[in-house]
Coordinates of all heavy atoms in Angstrom, one line a residue:
M218 N -13.0 -96.5 -18.5 CA -13.5 -95.1 -18.9 C -14.2 -94.6 -17.6 O -15.0 -95.2 -17.0 CB -14.5 -95.3 -20.0 CG -15.2 -94.1 -20.4 SD -16.2 -94.3 -21.9 CE -17.7 -93.9 -21.3
T219 N -13.9 -93.3 -17.3 CA -14.6 -92.6 -16.2 C -15.6 -91.7 -16.7 O -15.4 -90.9 -17.6 CB -13.5 -91.8 -15.4 OG1 -12.5 -92.8 -15.0 CG2 -14.1 -91.1 -14.2
V220 N -16.8 -91.7 -16.1 CA -17.9 -90.8 -16.4 C -17.9 -89.7 -15.4 O -18.0 -90.0 -14.2 CB -19.2 -91.6 -16.5 CG1 -20.3 -90.6 -16.8 CG2 -19.2 -92.7 -17.5
E221 N -17.8 -88.5 -15.9 CA -17.8 -87.4 -15.0 C -19.3 -87.1 -14.6 O -20.1 -87.1 -15.5 CB -17.2 -86.1 -15.6 CG -15.7 -86.3 -15.8 CD -14.9 -86.4 -14.5 OE1 -15.3 -85.7 -13.6 OE2 -14.0 -87.2 -14.5
P222 N -19.6 -86.8 -13.4 CA -21.0 -86.4 -13.0 C -21.3 -85.1 -13.6 O -20.5 -84.2 -13.8 CB -20.9 -86.3 -11.5 CG -19.5 -86.2 -11.1 CD -18.7 -86.8 -12.2
T223 N -22.6 -84.9 -14.0 CA -23.1 -83.6 -14.5 C -24.1 -83.1 -13.5 O -24.8 -83.8 -12.9 CB -23.7 -83.8 -15.9 OG1 -24.8 -84.7 -15.8 CG2 -22.6 -84.3 -16.9
A224 N -24.1 -81.8 -13.4 CA -25.1 -81.1 -12.5 C -26.5 -81.2 -13.2 O -26.6 -81.0 -14.4 CB -24.7 -79.7 -12.3
D225 N -27.5 -81.3 -12.4 CA -28.8 -81.3 -12.9 C -29.4 -80.0 -12.4 O -29.9 -79.9 -11.2 CB -29.6 -82.5 -12.3 CG -31.1 -82.6 -12.7 OD1 -31.6 -81.6 -13.3 OD2 -31.7 -83.7 -12.6
P226 N -29.5 -79.0 -13.2 CA -30.0 -77.7 -12.9 C -31.4 -77.7 -12.2 O -31.7 -77.0 -11.3 CB -30.0 -76.8 -14.1 CG -29.2 -77.6 -15.1 CD -29.2 -79.0 -14.7
Q227 N -32.3 -78.6 -12.7 CA -33.6 -78.6 -12.2 C -33.6 -79.2 -10.8 O -34.4 -78.7 -9.9 CB -34.5 -79.5 -13.1 CG -36.0 -79.4 -12.8 CD -36.8 -80.1 -13.8 OE1 -36.5 -81.1 -14.4 NE2 -38.0 -79.6 -14.0
F228 N -32.8 -80.2 -10.6 CA -32.7 -80.8 -9.2 C -32.1 -79.7 -8.2 O -32.5 -79.6 -7.1 CB -31.8 -82.0 -9.2 CG -31.7 -82.6 -7.9 CD1 -32.8 -83.4 -7.3 CD2 -30.6 -82.6 -7.1 CE1 -32.7 -84.0 -6.1 CE2 -30.5 -83.2 -5.8 CZ -31.6 -83.9 -5.3
I229 N -31.1 -78.9 -8.7 CA -30.5 -77.9 -7.9 C -31.6 -76.9 -7.5 O -31.7 -76.4 -6.3 CB -29.3 -77.3 -8.6 CG1 -28.2 -78.4 -8.6 CG2 -28.8 -76.0 -7.9 CD1 -27.0 -78.0 -9.5
T230 N -32.4 -76.5 -8.4 CA -33.5 -75.5 -8.2 C -34.5 -76.1 -7.2 O -34.9 -75.4 -6.3 CB -34.2 -75.1 -9.5 OG1 -33.2 -74.6 -10.4 CG2 -35.3 -74.1 -9.3
Y231 N -34.8 -77.3 -7.4 CA -35.7 -78.0 -6.4 C -35.1 -78.0 -5.0 O -35.8 -77.7 -4.0 CB -35.9 -79.4 -7.0 CG -36.5 -80.5 -6.1 CD1 -37.5 -80.2 -5.1 CD2 -36.1 -81.8 -6.2 CE1 -38.0 -81.2 -4.3 CE2 -36.6 -82.8 -5.4 CZ -37.6 -82.5 -4.5 OH -38.1 -83.5 -3.7
M232 N -33.9 -78.4 -4.9 CA -33.2 -78.4 -3.6 C -33.1 -77.0 -2.9 O -33.2 -76.9 -1.7 CB -31.9 -79.1 -3.7 CG -32.0 -80.6 -3.9 SD -32.7 -81.5 -2.4 CE -34.4 -81.7 -3.0
A233 N -32.9 -76.0 -3.8 CA -32.8 -74.6 -3.2 C -34.2 -74.2 -2.7 O -34.3 -73.6 -1.6 CB -32.4 -73.7 -4.3
A234 N -35.3 -74.6 -3.4 CA -36.6 -74.3 -2.9 C -36.9 -75.1 -1.6 O -37.5 -74.5 -0.7 CB -37.6 -74.6 -4.0
F235 N -36.4 -76.3 -1.5 CA -36.6 -77.1 -0.3 C -35.9 -76.5 0.8 O -36.5 -76.3 1.9 CB -36.0 -78.5 -0.6 CG -36.0 -79.4 0.7 CD1 -37.1 -79.9 1.2 CD2 -34.8 -79.6 1.3 CE1 -37.1 -80.7 2.4 CE2 -34.7 -80.3 2.5 CZ -35.9 -80.9 3.0
Q236 N -34.7 -76.0 0.6 CA -33.9 -75.4 1.7 C -34.6 -74.1 2.1 O -34.7 -73.8 3.3 CB -32.5 -75.1 1.2 CG -31.6 -74.4 2.2 CD -30.2 -74.2 1.8 OE1 -29.8 -74.4 0.6 NE2 -29.4 -73.6 2.7
A237 N -35.1 -73.3 1.2 CA -35.8 -72.1 1.6 C -37.0 -72.4 2.4 O -37.3 -71.7 3.4 CB -36.2 -71.2 0.3
A238 N -37.8 -73.4 2.0 CA -39.0 -73.7 2.7 C -38.7 -74.3 4.1 O -39.4 -73.9 5.1 CB -39.8 -74.8 1.9
T239 N -37.7 -75.1 4.2 CA -37.3 -75.7 5.6 C -36.7 -74.6 6.4 O -37.0 -74.6 7.7 CB -36.4 -76.9 5.5 OG1 -35.2 -76.5 4.7 CG2 -37.1 -78.1 4.8
E240 N -35.9 -73.7 5.9 CA -35.3 -72.6 6.7 C -36.4 -71.7 7.2 O -36.4 -71.3 8.4 CB -34.3 -71.8 6.0 CG -33.0 -72.6 5.8 CD -32.0 -71.9 4.9 OE1 -32.3 -70.8 4.4 OE2 -30.9 -72.5 4.7
H241 N -37.4 -71.4 6.4 CA -38.5 -70.5 6.8 C -39.3 -71.2 7.9 O -39.6 -70.6 8.9 CB -39.4 -70.1 5.6 CG -40.6 -69.4 6.1 ND1 -40.6 -68.0 6.4 CD2 -41.9 -69.8 6.4 CE1 -41.7 -67.6 6.9 NE2 -42.6 -68.7 6.8
T242 N -39.7 -72.5 7.6 CA -40.5 -73.2 8.6 C -39.8 -73.3 9.9 O -40.5 -73.3 11.0 CB -40.9 -74.6 8.0 OG1 -41.6 -74.4 6.7 CG2 -41.7 -75.4 9.0
A243 N -38.5 -73.4 9.9 CA -37.8 -73.6 11.2 C -38.0 -72.4 12.2 O -37.9 -72.6 13.4 CB -36.3 -73.8 11.0
T244 N -38.4 -71.3 11.6 CA -38.5 -70.1 12.5 C -39.9 -69.5 12.5 O -40.1 -68.4 13.0 CB -37.5 -69.0 12.0 OG1 -37.8 -68.6 10.7 CG2 -36.1 -69.5 12.2
C245 N -40.9 -70.2 11.9 CA -42.2 -69.7 11.7 C -43.2 -70.6 12.4 O -43.5 -71.7 11.8 CB -42.5 -69.4 10.3 SG -44.2 -68.8 10.0
A246 N -43.8 -70.2 13.5 CA -44.8 -71.0 14.2 C -46.0 -71.4 13.4 O -46.4 -72.6 13.4 CB -45.2 -70.4 15.5
P247 N -46.6 -70.5 12.7 CA -47.8 -70.9 11.9 C -47.4 -72.0 10.8 O -48.2 -72.9 10.6 CB -48.2 -69.6 11.2 CG -47.8 -68.5 12.1 CD -46.5 -69.0 12.7
C248 N -46.3 -71.8 10.1 CA -45.9 -72.7 9.1 C -45.6 -74.1 9.7 O -45.8 -75.1 9.2 CB -44.7 -72.2 8.3 SG -45.2 -70.9 7.2
Q249 N -45.0 -74.1 10.9 CA -44.8 -75.3 11.7 C -46.1 -76.1 12.0 O -46.1 -77.3 12.0 CB -44.0 -75.1 13.0 CG -42.6 -74.6 12.7 CD -41.9 -74.2 14.0 OE1 -42.4 -74.4 15.1 NE2 -40.7 -73.7 13.8
D250 N -47.1 -75.3 12.2 CA -48.5 -75.9 12.4 C -49.3 -76.3 11.2 O -50.5 -76.6 11.3 CB -49.3 -75.0 13.4 CG -48.7 -75.0 14.8 OD1 -48.0 -75.9 15.2 OD2 -49.0 -74.0 15.5
G251 N -48.6 -76.1 10.0 CA -49.3 -76.4 8.8 C -50.3 -75.3 8.3 O -51.1 -75.6 7.5
R252 N -50.1 -74.1 8.8 CA -50.9 -73.0 8.4 C -49.9 -71.9 7.8 O -49.6 -71.0 8.5 CB -51.7 -72.4 9.6 CG -52.6 -73.4 10.2 CD -53.3 -72.8 11.5 NE -52.3 -72.9 12.6 CZ -51.9 -71.8 13.2 NH1 -52.3 -70.6 13.0 NH2 -51.0 -71.9 14.2
P253 N -49.5 -72.1 6.6 CA -48.5 -71.1 6.0 C -48.9 -69.7 6.2 O -50.0 -69.3 6.0 CB -48.5 -71.5 4.6 CG -48.9 -73.0 4.5 CD -49.9 -73.1 5.6
C254 N -48.0 -68.9 6.6 CA -48.2 -67.5 6.8 C -48.1 -66.8 5.5 O -47.7 -67.4 4.5 CB -47.1 -66.9 7.8 SG -45.4 -66.9 7.0
P255 N -48.3 -65.5 5.4 CA -48.3 -64.8 4.1 C -46.9 -64.8 3.5 O -46.8 -64.7 2.3 CB -48.7 -63.3 4.5 CG -49.5 -63.5 5.7 CD -48.9 -64.6 6.5
I256 N -45.9 -64.8 4.3 CA -44.5 -64.9 3.8 C -44.2 -66.3 3.4 O -43.6 -66.6 2.3 CB -43.5 -64.4 4.8 CG1 -43.7 -62.9 5.1 CG2 -42.0 -64.7 4.3 CD1 -42.9 -62.3 6.2
G257 N -44.5 -67.3 4.2 CA -44.2 -68.7 3.9 C -45.0 -69.3 2.8 O -44.5 -70.2 2.1
D258 N -46.3 -68.9 2.6 CA -47.1 -69.5 1.6 C -46.5 -69.5 0.2 O -46.4 -70.6 -0.4 CB -48.5 -68.8 1.6 CG -49.5 -69.6 0.8 OD1 -49.5 -70.9 0.9 OD2 -50.3 -69.0 0.0
P259 N -46.0 -68.4 -0.3 CA -45.3 -68.5 -1.6 C -44.0 -69.3 -1.6 O -43.6 -69.9 -2.6 CB -45.0 -67.0 -2.0 CG -45.2 -66.2 -0.8 CD -46.0 -67.0 0.2
I260 N -43.3 -69.3 -0.5 CA -42.1 -70.1 -0.4 C -42.4 -71.6 -0.5 O -41.8 -72.4 -1.2 CB -41.3 -69.8 0.9 CG1 -40.9 -68.4 0.9 CG2 -40.2 -70.8 1.1 CD1 -40.3 -67.9 2.3
H261 N -43.5 -72.0 0.3 CA -43.9 -73.4 0.2 C -44.5 -73.8 -1.2 O -44.3 -74.9 -1.7 CB -44.9 -73.7 1.3 CG -44.3 -73.5 2.7 ND1 -43.2 -74.2 3.1 CD2 -44.7 -72.7 3.7 CE1 -42.9 -73.8 4.4 NE2 -43.8 -72.8 4.7
H262 N -45.2 -72.9 -1.8 CA -45.8 -73.1 -3.1 C -44.7 -73.3 -4.1 O -44.7 -74.2 -5.0 CB -46.7 -72.0 -3.5 CG -47.3 -72.1 -4.9 ND1 -48.3 -73.0 -5.1 CD2 -47.0 -71.5 -6.1 CE1 -48.6 -72.9 -6.4 NE2 -47.8 -72.1 -7.0
A263 N -43.6 -72.4 -4.0 CA -42.5 -72.6 -5.0 C -41.8 -73.9 -4.8 O -41.5 -74.6 -5.8 CB -41.5 -71.4 -4.8
F264 N -41.7 -74.4 -3.5 CA -41.1 -75.7 -3.3 C -41.9 -76.8 -3.9 O -41.4 -77.7 -4.6 CB -40.9 -75.9 -1.8 CG -40.7 -77.4 -1.5 CD1 -39.6 -78.1 -1.9 CD2 -41.7 -78.1 -0.8 CE1 -39.4 -79.4 -1.6 CE2 -41.5 -79.5 -0.5 CZ -40.4 -80.1 -1.0
L265 N -43.2 -76.8 -3.7 CA -44.1 -77.8 -4.3 C -44.1 -77.8 -5.8 O -44.1 -78.9 -6.4 CB -45.5 -77.7 -3.7 CG -45.7 -77.9 -2.2 CD1 -47.1 -77.6 -1.8 CD2 -45.3 -79.4 -1.9
T266 N -44.0 -76.6 -6.3 CA -44.0 -76.5 -7.8 C -42.7 -77.1 -8.4 O -42.7 -77.9 -9.3 CB -44.1 -75.0 -8.3 OG1 -45.4 -74.5 -7.8 CG2 -44.0 -74.9 -9.7
E267 N -41.6 -76.7 -7.7 CA -40.3 -77.3 -8.2 C -40.2 -78.8 -8.0 O -39.7 -79.5 -8.8 CB -39.1 -76.6 -7.5 CG -39.0 -75.1 -7.9 CD -38.7 -74.9 -9.3 OE1 -38.2 -75.8 -10.1 OE2 -39.0 -73.8 -9.8
K268 N -40.7 -79.3 -6.9 CA -40.7 -80.7 -6.6 C -41.5 -81.4 -7.7 O -41.1 -82.5 -8.2 CB -41.4 -81.0 -5.2 CG -41.5 -82.5 -4.9 CD -42.0 -82.6 -3.5 CE -42.0 -84.1 -3.1 NZ -43.3 -84.6 -2.8
A269 N -42.7 -81.0 -8.0 CA -43.6 -81.6 -9.0 C -42.9 -81.6 -10.4 O -42.9 -82.5 -11.1 CB -44.9 -80.9 -9.1
A270 N -42.2 -80.4 -10.8 CA -41.5 -80.4 -12.0 C -40.4 -81.4 -12.1 O -40.2 -82.1 -13.1 CB -41.0 -78.9 -12.2
W271 N -39.6 -81.5 -11.0 CA -38.5 -82.5 -11.0 C -39.0 -83.9 -11.1 O -38.5 -84.7 -11.9 CB -37.6 -82.3 -9.8 CG -36.5 -83.1 -9.8 CD1 -35.3 -83.0 -10.5 CD2 -36.3 -84.4 -9.1 NE1 -34.4 -84.0 -10.3 CE2 -35.0 -84.9 -9.4 CE3 -37.1 -85.1 -8.2 CZ2 -34.5 -86.1 -8.9 CZ3 -36.6 -86.3 -7.7 CH2 -35.3 -86.8 -8.1
E272 N -40.1 -84.2 -10.3 CA -40.7 -85.6 -10.4 C -41.2 -85.9 -11.7 O -41.0 -87.0 -12.2 CB -41.7 -85.7 -9.3 CG -41.2 -85.8 -7.9 CD -42.2 -85.8 -6.8 OE1 -43.4 -85.4 -7.1 OE2 -41.9 -86.1 -5.7
D273 N -41.9 -84.9 -12.4 CA -42.4 -85.1 -13.8 C -41.2 -85.4 -14.7 O -41.4 -86.3 -15.6 CB -43.2 -83.9 -14.2 CG -44.5 -83.8 -13.5 OD1 -45.0 -84.8 -12.9 OD2 -45.1 -82.7 -13.7
E274 N -40.1 -84.7 -14.6 CA -39.0 -84.9 -15.4 C -38.4 -86.3 -15.2 O -38.0 -87.0 -16.1 CB -37.9 -83.9 -15.2 CG -36.7 -84.0 -16.0 CD -36.9 -83.9 -17.5 OE1 -37.9 -83.4 -18.0 OE2 -35.9 -84.3 -18.2
Q275 N -38.3 -86.7 -13.9 CA -37.8 -88.1 -13.7 C -38.7 -89.2 -14.3 O -38.2 -90.1 -14.8 CB -37.7 -88.3 -12.2 CG -36.7 -87.3 -11.5 CD -35.3 -87.4 -12.2 OE1 -34.7 -88.4 -12.3 NE2 -34.9 -86.3 -12.7
R276 N -40.0 -89.0 -14.2 CA -41.0 -90.0 -14.8 C -40.8 -90.0 -16.3 O -40.7 -91.0 -16.9 CB -42.4 -89.6 -14.4 CG -42.8 -90.1 -13.0 CD -44.3 -90.0 -12.8 NE -44.7 -88.6 -12.6 CZ -44.7 -88.0 -11.4 NH1 -44.2 -88.6 -10.4 NH2 -45.1 -86.8 -11.3
R277 N -40.6 -88.8 -16.9 CA -40.4 -88.7 -18.3 C -39.1 -89.4 -18.7 O -39.1 -90.2 -19.7 CB -40.4 -87.3 -18.8 CG -40.4 -87.1 -20.3 CD -40.1 -85.7 -20.8 NE -38.7 -85.3 -20.4 CZ -37.6 -85.7 -21.0 NH1 -37.6 -86.6 -21.9 NH2 -36.4 -85.3 -20.5
R278 N -38.1 -89.2 -18.0 CA -36.8 -89.8 -18.3 C -36.9 -91.3 -18.1 O -36.3 -92.1 -18.9 CB -35.7 -89.3 -17.4 CG -35.2 -87.9 -17.7 CD -34.1 -87.4 -16.9 NE -33.8 -86.1 -17.1 CZ -32.9 -85.4 -16.4 NH1 -32.2 -86.0 -15.4 NH2 -32.6 -84.2 -16.7
F279 N -37.6 -91.8 -17.1 CA -37.7 -93.2 -16.9 C -38.4 -93.9 -18.0 O -38.1 -94.9 -18.5 CB -38.3 -93.5 -15.5 CG -38.4 -95.0 -15.2 CD1 -37.3 -95.7 -14.9 CD2 -39.7 -95.6 -15.3 CE1 -37.4 -97.1 -14.6 CE2 -39.8 -97.0 -15.0 CZ -38.6 -97.7 -14.7
R280 N -39.6 -93.3 -18.4 CA -40.3 -93.8 -19.5 C -39.5 -93.8 -20.8 O -39.6 -94.8 -21.6 CB -41.6 -93.0 -19.8 CG -42.7 -93.3 -18.7 CD -44.0 -92.7 -19.1 NE -44.1 -91.3 -19.2 CZ -44.4 -90.5 -18.1 NH1 -44.8 -91.1 -17.0 NH2 -44.4 -89.3 -18.2
S281 N -38.7 -92.8 -21.0 CA -37.9 -92.8 -22.2 C -36.8 -93.9 -22.2 O -36.6 -94.5 -23.2 CB -37.1 -91.4 -22.3 OG -36.2 -91.4 -23.3
L282 N -36.3 -94.2 -21.0 CA -35.4 -95.3 -20.8 C -36.0 -96.6 -21.1 O -35.5 -97.5 -21.7 CB -34.7 -95.3 -19.4 CG -33.7 -94.2 -19.2 CD1 -33.3 -94.3 -17.7 CD2 -32.5 -94.3 -20.1
Q283 N -37.3 -96.8 -20.7 CA -38.0 -98.0 -20.9 C -38.2 -98.2 -22.4 O -38.0 -99.3 -22.9 CB -39.4 -97.9 -20.2 CG -39.4 -98.1 -18.7 CD -40.8 -98.1 -18.1 OE1 -41.6 -97.3 -18.5 NE2 -41.0 -99.0 -17.2
V284 N -38.6 -97.2 -23.1 CA -38.9 -97.3 -24.5 C -37.5 -97.6 -25.3 O -37.5 -98.5 -26.1 CB -39.5 -95.9 -25.1 CG1 -39.5 -95.9 -26.6 CG2 -40.9 -95.7 -24.5
D285 N -36.5 -96.9 -24.9 CA -35.2 -97.1 -25.6 C -34.6 -98.5 -25.4 O -34.0 -99.1 -26.2 CB -34.2 -96.1 -25.1 CG -34.5 -94.7 -25.6 OD1 -35.4 -94.5 -26.4 OD2 -33.9 -93.7 -25.0
S286 N -34.9 -99.1 -24.2 CA -34.4 -100.4 -23.9 C -35.3 -101.5 -24.1 O -34.9 -102.7 -24.0 CB -33.9 -100.4 -22.4 OG -35.1 -100.4 -21.6
G287 N -36.5 -101.2 -24.4 CA -37.5 -102.3 -24.7 C -38.0 -102.9 -23.4 O -38.6 -104.0 -23.3
M288 N -37.9 -102.2 -22.2 CA -38.3 -102.7 -20.9 C -39.8 -102.8 -20.9 O -40.4 -102.1 -21.6 CB -37.8 -101.8 -19.8 CG -36.3 -101.9 -19.5 SD -35.8 -100.6 -18.3 CE -36.9 -101.0 -17.0
P289 N -40.3 -103.7 -20.1 CA -41.8 -103.8 -20.0 C -42.4 -102.4 -19.5 O -41.8 -101.7 -18.7 CB -42.0 -104.8 -18.8 CG -40.8 -105.6 -18.9 CD -39.7 -104.7 -19.3
G290 N -43.4 -102.1 -20.2 CA -44.1 -100.8 -19.9 C -43.7 -99.7 -20.9 O -44.3 -98.7 -21.1
G291 N -42.6 -100.0 -21.7 CA -42.2 -99.1 -22.7 C -43.0 -99.4 -24.0 O -43.6 -100.4 -24.1
K292 N -42.9 -98.5 -25.0 CA -43.6 -98.8 -26.2 C -42.9 -99.7 -27.1 O -43.5 -100.1 -28.1 CB -43.8 -97.4 -26.9 CG -44.7 -96.5 -26.1 CD -44.9 -95.1 -26.7 CE -45.7 -94.2 -25.9 NZ -45.7 -92.9 -26.5
A293 N -41.7 -100.0 -26.9 CA -40.9 -100.9 -27.8 C -41.1 -102.3 -27.5 O -40.2 -103.1 -27.2 CB -39.4 -100.5 -27.7
G294 N -42.4 -102.8 -27.7 CA -42.7 -104.2 -27.5 C -42.9 -104.6 -26.1 O -43.0 -105.8 -25.8
G295 N -43.0 -103.7 -25.1 CA -43.2 -104.0 -23.8 C -44.7 -104.2 -23.4 O -45.6 -104.2 -24.3
V296 N -45.0 -104.4 -22.2 CA -46.3 -104.6 -21.8 C -47.1 -103.3 -21.8 O -46.5 -102.3 -21.5 CB -46.3 -105.1 -20.3 CG1 -47.8 -105.3 -19.8 CG2 -45.6 -106.4 -20.2
K297 N -48.3 -103.3 -22.3 CA -49.1 -102.1 -22.4 C -50.0 -101.9 -21.2 O -50.4 -102.7 -20.6 CB -49.9 -102.1 -23.7 CG -49.0 -102.1 -25.0 CD -49.9 -102.1 -26.2 CE -49.0 -102.1 -27.4 NZ -49.7 -102.1 -28.6

C-alpha cells in the first residue's frame, strides 16, 4: 500500500512567512543587526506568529498520538 503525501497548509504558511522574513532581512541593514525596521517588524512578527502556531499544532498532534497509542506521557495509562 502506498501512502500519498498530503500538504500541510499551516506548514506552508509558516514557510512562506519564513521566506518573506529572510528575503527582507537579506536586504535590510537594520533588520540584519536585530533592529527590525518599520517595514520588517510586521514581517518578522508574522513569521514568529506562524512559527508558534505551527509548533503548537505539532505539540498537540504529538500529545494526541501519545494518548491514542498509550505512550508514556499520554493520558491512556502513561506516566503523568
